Amino acid sequence: MSLRPILIHPDPRLKTVCAPVSALTDDLRRLADDMLETMYEAPGIGLAAPQVGVLSRLIVMDCVKDRDAAPRPMVLFNPEVVWASEARSTYEEGCLSIPEQFAEVERPAEVRVRWTGRDGREEEDLFSGLWAICVQHEIDHLNGRLFIDYLSPLRRQMITRRMQKLKRERAKA
Ligand code: K2U
Ligand code: ZN
């Protein structure tokens, strides 16, 4: 397994609608394993393939926050929301592609998601709490949407300018 570099906004690959995965290959399984390793190292609780420059519909998650509890890594190919609750919840979101920037985002509190697992089997489950927020945040990534797209144009522009400055400084280092 190896760590993959995480793309930083603005980057056209982060605004791209990703292609469905047509066949599960060993390369895609290795990518999923690398994404999990990259996510844990960041640290984060989710990561989408476009964030590591691969424009395929694959996300990984592990929203278990209690260090004493067993981790629960999840690999979801072609995830899709098939039901969303009327109830909404608000959470201060961040993003590994928009470091150190946080803003409140409102989303459906519960979602039912269908996906293909790492073993090729069709799965469907109900997500609530932080898992629901994370899976929606990651599926947004597959559709080229970032959490800042839910903010006002002015706030989005301020964050984008900060990221452009960060990228200039990193390029000099
Ligand atoms: O997609 C990503 O950039 C990974 C995010 C996922 C995430 C963002 C907001 C809310 C839930 C999940 C990273 O995990 S950001 C780091 C983080 C860690 C714990 C809680 C919230 C965000
Ligand atoms: Zn993100």
Side-chain angles (χ1 to χ4, degrees), residues 17-164:
V17 176
C18 297
V21 166
S22 51
L24 278 196
T25 62
D26 285 347
D27 276 353
L28 280 170
R29 287 191 183 91
R30 189 171 310 110
L31 170 63
D33 294 343
D34 288 354
M35 285 172 61
L36 279 168
E37 186 187 0
T38 303
M39 177 192 79
Y40 285 124
E41 193 272 343
I45 58 173
L47 192 66
Q51 292 182 274
V52 294
V54 177
L55 305 186
S56 297
R57 301 186 79 80
L58 162 59
I59 66 176
V60 298
M61 297 195 298
D62 183 348
C63 301
V64 173
K65 296 194 71 163
D66 175 358
R67 290 190 186 291
D68 301 334
R72 193 178 156 218
M74 291 190 76
V75 172
L76 297 85
F77 291 100
N78 302 328
E80 50 182 329
V81 174
V82 294
W83 174 84
S85 62
E86 289 289 316
R88 317 266 298 169
S89 68
T90 300
Y91 190 86
E92 188 169 46
E93 298 195 11
C95 183
L96 295 176
S97 295
I98 310 177
E100 314 299 323
Q101 309 301 308
F102 299 91
E104 292 216 332
V105 176
E106 188 189 287
R107 296 181 187 273
E110 284 192 314
V111 286
R112 179 167 285 280
V113 177
R114 188 176 298 151
W115 71 95
T116 301
R118 198 181 181 287
D119 56 3
R121 281 182 326 126
E122 282 299 307
E123 311 244 12
E124 185 171 315
D125 207 349
L126 182 67
F127 291 78
S128 57
L130 186 54
W131 287 90
I133 294 163
C134 185
V135 75
Q136 292 178 82
H137 177 109
E138 302 310 335
I139 292 175
D140 269 356
H141 272 298
L142 302 184
N143 295 319
R145 275 184 77 78
L146 302 171
F147 80 91
I148 57 172
D149 294 328
Y150 296 94
L151 308 183
S152 69
L154 181 64
R155 280 201 69 190
R156 180 163 55 250
Q157 188 184 62
M158 281 167 59
I159 291 173
T160 300
R161 290 222 173 111
R162 280 188 209 131
M163 292 297 105
Q164 287 168 325

